[in-house]
Amino acid sequence: MGPMPEQIHPAERLLNLVIALVNTAGRMTKEQIRSSVAGYADATSDDAFERMFERDKDSLRELGIPVLTVAGGGHSDDIGYRIDQEAYALRPVDLTAGELGVLSLAVQFWQDKALRTDAARALTKLRAVGSEPAGTDLVAGLAPRVRPAGDAFGPLLDAVQARQAVTFTYRAANTGEVRERTLEPWRLLARGGGWYVVGRDTDRDAPRSFRLSRVQGRVRTVGEPGAYLIPADVDAAAVLSDRGTESTRVAVLALRPERASALRARAVAGTEPSGTDPWGTDPWGTEEPDASDPRLAAVAADRDVVRVPFTHRSELADEIAGYADAVVVLAPADLRDAVLRRLRAAATLDGPRPAVATPAGGTEALAAGTSTGAGRG
Amino acid sequence: MAERATDRLLRLLGMVTYLDRHAGVPVEQVAEHFGVSTRQVVQDIDTLWVTGTPGYWPHDLIDFDAASLDQGVVRLVESRGMTRPLRLGTREAVALIAALRAMRAAVAPGLDRARAAVLSSALDKLTAATGEAAAAVDVRLAVDGAPDVVAALGEALAGARRLRIRYVTAADVTSEREVDPIRLLTEEDHSYLLAWCHRAADERLFRVDRILAAEVLDVPATAHPVAGHTETFTPSPDDELVTLDLASPVRWIAEQVPVESVEDLPDGGFRVSLRVAEPAWLRHLLLQVGAHVRDVHPPRVAADVAAAARAAIAAYGDLAGEDGPAGEGGAVAPG
């Protein structure tokens, strides 16, 4: 389909169709549309016209301008069409230049093509009722953005809106297992660099979360729309992470001088050190290291002792392991063990590597200890 | 890329609605308002001029004041009833409202009160106009960085002032530098300050949670041409290519780290290749996920990490106790 100058541009044909169907006294039949609306004369056959008209109706519906079907008084194929302006009108909204500027920024927010298209359309509609051009000075220098959600996002969002179950192939990260899942989707969430869908896994009859980047192939709807209710009190974020139950504690760390500034920046003050209490204590009162333990004293020698609050042990253990010998954990003991586990695993990296796991088993240890991922679907 | 017919249709309809409410608007202002070129506005007006109701006689058509347009001012004289603004579709409303909510939660703390109020009022008006709860999509951006640092960055960006920052790199080296802020990039996992660094005499990207202190200086920020090449971490082809064979539980590495390639292995594991500009960064990563690493190329990288791990264990002295089973623990999915 190449550009043909004598043809009417599709946008112009669509506009003529909208104007005709808004202004028609009652309704227009397909024949009337074909013979009188500018652009449809380009259709060279009945089939071509049908395809063109159906596609145009779909385009308009996608833009939020539904074409209504109106039955005539006569025989059954006497069907007409019109557009009801009342039904698609925006409620009054008066946006200032600054607010429009914020909305422009919201469009840039999405790096995902589908989401950006949706947001850009919304912005065009809102510009029509804005009185001044978008002011950008209010949002100068800000660039909030979210990475693309991938192909699964659109179908899943539509399914959430329609409350319609979906099925898809999913690769579970814990096990590497790939299989079919069926889900009643509730919410889509972006957290910490990933997109997730949360809903009821119908096979397990339990809430589960799935990472969109691990969905393989197409997402297909199953069953009827409106087939389930989204629980009003759903805490999607809690389903996503089973780490929310940990309470805040304080790690007592011994740092090499001048090192781990990022940890130091998050440190909280302890009490003044004293003869009997060389590292001070903190107001949180969590598991103070025993300063009389000669092993602790030896480790802390020539190091700065700081206290860093944390909520997720595995996250802090990752961070501390990354600092290698610059950071030593004095307390709590379970955090120290978690760091040492990571370091011992890394210490074997230059030795013989474990054999590649086979279905017969063999490398069970590789999948062990991954408690933080257990709640993920 | 050619504009889609549907997107153009929306603008054409939007222009009629807008011009119906504003009599006599300069072409340049219409262009600015709709975010297009003046040439595009003229093309759009030419299209509108020939559309209308069937029959397409002069009185059927959308019409503009031709004399006024010759003076560069757009004046709509016949709208053919197309003046109603279009309702937002559900997905459109969701896309805007979810973005605004995430922005309000993450960006507002760095804004002064007046700017934060505009963000809130835009969200409130939009929610009222669409009646859309938009609960289907929930985005949380990183809100990292010390509050006083975030406030200083916001102030410097808004007032175009130079900053003095104390910054610690991924390699754990702390330094002081003066920077001219360009943009604050807020993402789901971290936020970054894109700035002109006077020490490096180049653009640099600073992770906000590694800015230890920030002071707004009484010096205007000078404008620098933004190449934008540092806006995302784009590895250089000169950086060393490292290949990792990893077990499935650390799949997030393939998803969150800019890798050159990902290949699924038959047993659920995977192989990634990545360009490494900063060896300290890779060492940091491998120290965390060692239990899930099956192979590293080149082997020198593995030796470096293992040596660092042994030194770290040695630092624990007697506290390290007996060698426990390797292979437990390890990062799964940073949240």
Side-chain angles (χ1 to χ4, degrees), chain A residues 343-358:
Chain A
L343 293 173
R344 289 192 182 109
T348 64
L349 275 185
D350 57 351
R353 301 310 302 149
V356 169
T358 61

Side-chain angles (χ1 to χ4, degrees), chain A residues 237-302:
Chain A
V239 176
L240 189 62
S241 166
D242 63 349
R243 301 164 307 161
T245 52
E246 288 184 58
S247 56
T248 300
R249 297 188 289 163
V250 173
V252 185
L253 309 174
L255 312 183
R256 285 204 354 213
E258 314 284 314
R259 294 291 310 278
S261 304
L263 278 173
R264 288 172 199 267
R266 304 205 306 266
V268 292
T271 58
E272 283 300 309
S274 67
T276 53
D277 195 7
W279 303 320
T281 53
D282 67 73
W284 308 64
T286 39
E287 203 181 334
E288 285 296 322
D290 177 5
S292 64
D293 184 335
R295 297 177 303 169
L296 287 174
V299 161
D302 304 323

Side-chain angles (χ1 to χ4, degrees), chain A residues 89-95 125-131, chain B residues 14-25 33 76 79 82-86:
Chain A
L90 180 73
R91 283 188 226 169
V93 52
D94 186 18
L95 295 164
K125 290 178 177 179
L126 292 167
R127 278 171 163 160
V129 295
S131 41
Chain B
M15 276 188 183
V16 176
T17 304
Y18 169 77
L19 292 167
D20 178 63
R21 291 161 177 234
H22 300 90
V25 184
H33 192 80
L76 183 73
S79 68
M82 301 308 299
T83 57
R84 293 288 182 82
L86 293 177

Side-chain angles (χ1 to χ4, degrees), chain A residues 186-228:
Chain A
W186 297 339
R187 293 259 197 296
L188 289 148
L189 296 95
R191 292 286 188 282
W195 277 95
Y196 300 86
V197 59
V198 167
R200 189 178 78 92
D201 183 321
T202 58
D203 300 329
R204 291 169 170 150
D205 188 23
R208 284 288 184 275
S209 67
F210 298 88
R211 191 166 173 143
L212 265 52
S213 57
R214 294 172 192 160
V215 171
Q216 304 190 334
R218 281 186 52 211
V219 174
R220 282 178 293 272
T221 53
V222 287
E224 296 300 311
Y228 59 91

Side-chain angles (χ1 to χ4, degrees), chain A residues 314-329:
Chain A
S314 67
E315 274 178 26
L316 185 62
D318 283 346
E319 184 179 3
I320 292 172
Y323 280 112
D325 65 346
V327 181
V328 166
V329 180

Side-chain angles (χ1 to χ4, degrees), chain A:
Chain A
M1 199 169 69
M4 300 173 72
E6 63 272 24
Q7 280 196 337
I8 287 183
H9 187 277
E12 193 178 329
R13 183 182 71 237
L14 282 165
L15 184 57
N16 280 317
L17 179 64
V18 173
I19 297 173
L21 293 181
V22 161
N23 283 283
T24 183
R27 62 201 195 101
M28 287 182 86
T29 64
K30 267 188 204 172
E31 266 320 303
Q32 288 171 323
I33 289 167
R34 186 175 179 183
S35 60
S36 69
V37 176
Y40 288 98
D42 292 342
T44 50
S45 68
D46 291 354
D47 275 356
F49 167 74
E50 286 287 340
R51 280 197 304 272
M52 193 184 262
F53 182 58
E54 287 304 315
R55 201 168 51 226
D56 287 352
K57 275 199 302 179
D58 286 345
S59 295
L60 292 181
R61 189 178 309 120
E62 203 188 312
L63 296 178
I65 314 171
V67 175
L68 302 178
T69 308
V70 189
H75 49 87
S76 61
D77 43 321
D78 178 24
I79 287 177
Y81 301 90
R82 69 181 169 85
I83 289 172
D84 179 6
Q85 265 192 310
E86 279 306 321
Y88 75 60
L90 180 73
R91 283 188 226 169
V93 52
D94 186 18
L95 295 164
T96 65
E99 288 159 354
L100 276 173
V102 165
L103 295 177
S104 313
L105 188 66
V107 174
Q108 306 301 317
F109 180 79
W110 303 113
Q111 289 181 288
D112 188 86
K113 216 167 69 185
L115 277 161
R116 192 181 273 222
T117 300
D118 285 335
R121 283 179 176 165
L123 178 63
T124 303
K125 290 178 177 179
L126 292 167
R127 278 171 163 160
V129 295
S131 41
E132 302 158 78
T136 48
D137 49 331
L138 273 165
V139 290
L142 300 180
R145 60 188 187 186
V146 170
R147 71 185 64 208
D151 294 340
F153 182 85
L156 284 170
L157 179 55
D158 290 342
V160 171
Q161 304 290 356
R163 288 182 287 114
Q164 190 170 17
V166 291
T167 175
F168 50 83
T169 308
Y170 189 74
R171 172 191 291 275
N174 284 348
T175 57
E177 181 196 26
V178 177
R179 69 177 175 87
E180 203 69 8
R181 307 296 184 109
T182 305
L183 182 75
E184 292 173 350
W186 297 339
R187 293 259 197 296
L188 289 148
L189 296 95
R191 292 286 188 282
W195 277 95
Y196 300 86
V197 59
V198 167
R200 189 178 78 92
D201 183 321
T202 58
D203 300 329
R204 291 169 170 150
D205 188 23
R208 284 288 184 275
S209 67
F210 298 88
R211 191 166 173 143
L212 265 52
S213 57
R214 294 172 192 160
V215 171
Q216 304 190 334
R218 281 186 52 211
V219 174
R220 282 178 293 272
T221 53
V222 287
E224 296 300 311
Y228 59 91
L229 290 173
I230 297 172
D233 57 348
V234 56
D235 186 352
V239 176
L240 189 62
S241 166
D242 63 349
R243 301 164 307 161
T245 52
E246 288 184 58
S247 56
T248 300
R249 297 188 289 163
V250 173
V252 185
L253 309 174
L255 312 183
R256 285 204 354 213
E258 314 284 314
R259 294 291 310 278
S261 304
L263 278 173
R264 288 172 199 267
R266 304 205 306 266
V268 292
T271 58
E272 283 300 309
S274 67
T276 53
D277 195 7
W279 303 320
T281 53
D282 67 73
W284 308 64
T286 39
E287 203 181 334
E288 285 296 322
D290 177 5
S292 64
D293 184 335
R295 297 177 303 169
L296 287 174
V299 161
D302 304 323
R303 286 176 180 256
D304 306 328
V305 175
V306 301
R307 291 157 202 286
V308 177
F310 69 101
T311 311
H312 302 304
R313 188 184 70 195
S314 67
E315 274 178 26
L316 185 62
D318 283 346
E319 184 179 3
I320 292 172
Y323 280 112
D325 65 346
V327 181
V328 166
V329 180
L330 299 180
D334 63 317
L335 175 68
R336 185 167 65 223
D337 292 343
V339 171
L340 281 166
R341 275 199 299 278
R342 285 161 174 74
L343 293 173
R344 289 192 182 109
T348 64
L349 275 185
D350 57 351
R353 301 310 302 149
V356 169
T358 61
T363 57
E364 292 294 313
L366 280 180
T370 58
S371 61
T372 57
R376 308 265 162 105

